């Protein structure tokens, strides 16, 4: 089974958690897109949900496929968010933001009663951090913000390149109009301490560590089918 098929399988099982009348946070990325495609078929068959998208990209796909949308202004409390992830640890801590949507994704997940992650098994790790941590920053004061990030990381024994994410030769700009710094710290033993320290830097808008937000992960693995993973205490 190829990577795309695994994403479809995880999305298919996650869809079983969607009930009629739900207010649904809809994630971003290639796995979330497979979920949107399956959701659209159900909607066409009569499933009644209202979706809040986590990016302009997801909003466009939902609109194209006829998935009804709302905003967090109109629908500020959600029942369930279904989203992908770049890494998942045994406590269901996540790294997200590979697609640059981490800020809206975190706001939507935090507004949801439950968050379900969909992924293939390659996203499971013992310790977060092999995937560079996306940090969304304000363009103003970028140099000072980079220095501050490097300092708080060093205090936690972390170091590594801090690279401004580029696309087509220009800095990548998020839906919120910010930049992304991809921080290659390697494994992050104390994710909570790093999260708190990054939040204390004024130029940091948000970061891609999602801690205590996911309730379960639906994980598809070649040869092993799909399993639902819950946090290890
Ligand atoms: O900003 C993007 C999101 O956090 C995605 O959910 C994450 O990057 C996973 O994407 P994919 O399903 O394409 O691996």
């Amino acid at each position: 089974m190829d990577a795309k098929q695994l994403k479809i399988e995880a999305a298919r099982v996650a869809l079983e958690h969607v009930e009629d009348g739900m207010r649904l946070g809809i994630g971003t990325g290639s796995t979330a897109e497979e979920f949107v495609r399956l959701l659209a078929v159900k909607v066409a068959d009569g499933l009644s949900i209202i979706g809040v998208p986590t990016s302009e990209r997801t909003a466009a796909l939902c609109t194209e496929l006829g998935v009804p949308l709302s905003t967090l202004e109109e629908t500020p409390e959600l029942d369930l968010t279904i989203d992908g992830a770049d890494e998942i640890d045994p406590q269901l801590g996540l790294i997200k933001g590979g697609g640059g949507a981490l800020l809206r994704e975190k706001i939507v997940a935090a507004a949801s009663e439950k968050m379900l992650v969909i992924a293939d098994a390659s996203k499971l790790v013992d310790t977060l951090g092999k995937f560079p941590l996306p940090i969304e920053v304000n363009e103003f004061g970028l140099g000072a913000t980079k220095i501050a990030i490097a300092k708080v990381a060093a205090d936690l024994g972390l170091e590594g390149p801090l690279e401004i994410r580029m696309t087509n030769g220009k800095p990548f700009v998020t839906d919120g109009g910010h930049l992304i710094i991809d921080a290659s710290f390697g494994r992050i033993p104390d994710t909570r301490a790093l999260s708190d320290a990054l939040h204390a830097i004024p130029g940091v808008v948000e970061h891609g560590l999602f801690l205590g937000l996911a309730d379960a992960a639906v994980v598809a693995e070649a040869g092993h089918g799909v399993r639902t993973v819950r946090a290890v205490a």
Side-chain angles (χ1 to χ4, degrees):
M1 202 180 283
D2 67 9
K4 182 180 166 75
Q5 197 54 42
L6 290 173
K7 292 173 191 184
I8 293 171
E9 286 308 311
R12 193 187 310 283
V13 172
L15 190 60
E16 293 168 8
H17 294 261
V18 177
E19 295 167 13
D20 210 50
M22 270 190 168
R23 301 159 296 177
L24 205 59
I26 305 178
T28 296
S30 56
T31 318
E33 281 178 17
E34 299 304 342
F35 171 74
V36 172
R37 290 182 197 290
L38 296 174
L39 178 66
V41 173
K42 281 270 202 182
V43 167
D45 283 351
L47 177 76
S48 170
I49 58 98
I50 188 79
V52 171
T54 53
S55 63
E56 298 300 327
R57 179 174 145 195
T58 295
L61 183 63
C62 288
T63 302
E64 182 192 326
L65 299 178
V67 175
L69 294 183
S70 181
T71 62
L72 274 189
E73 285 68 40
E74 290 169 354
T75 312
E77 293 179 310
L78 305 176
D79 300 298
L80 174 67
T81 286
I82 295 181
D83 200 350
D86 299 300
E87 283 187 348
I88 306 167
D89 78 10
Q91 287 73 41
L92 296 188
L94 313 173
I95 285 184
K96 287 183 53 55
L102 66 100
L103 176 60
R104 291 190 186 185
E105 288 178 331
K106 200 177 275 191
I107 292 170
V108 168
S112 300
E113 200 176 312
K114 296 219 175 289
M115 180 190 192
L116 193 56
V117 180
I118 45 177
D120 64 77
S122 69
K123 305 289 182 66
L124 296 173
V125 298
D126 288 332
T127 307
L128 299 177
K130 189 173 176 204
F131 190 92
L133 177 66
I135 305 173
E136 185 155 349
V137 297
N138 204 298
E139 189 175 5
F140 180 85
L142 185 58
T145 301
K146 273 181 96 167
I147 290 172
I149 292 171
K151 274 190 183 153
V152 301
D155 286 347
L156 294 167
L158 301 169
E159 62 176 345
L162 300 176
E163 288 177 1
I164 308 292
R165 190 179 298 180
M166 305 294 285
T167 178
N168 300 324
K170 291 191 203 141
F172 172 88
V173 178
T174 68
D175 285 344
H178 309 121
L179 306 182
I180 299 271
I181 291 175
D182 288 307
S184 298
F185 294 139
R187 308 283 148 97
I188 306 166
D190 192 343
T191 48
R192 178 57 70 187
L194 181 61
S195 169
D196 291 348
L198 290 173
H199 279 151
I201 299 171
V204 170
V205 179
E206 195 41 89
H207 58 70
L209 288 169
F210 282 49
L211 307 177
L213 283 169
D215 295 282
V218 176
V219 179
E221 186 169 16
H224 291 84
V226 180
R227 66 187 190 277
T228 300
V229 179
R230 294 188 194 277
V232 173

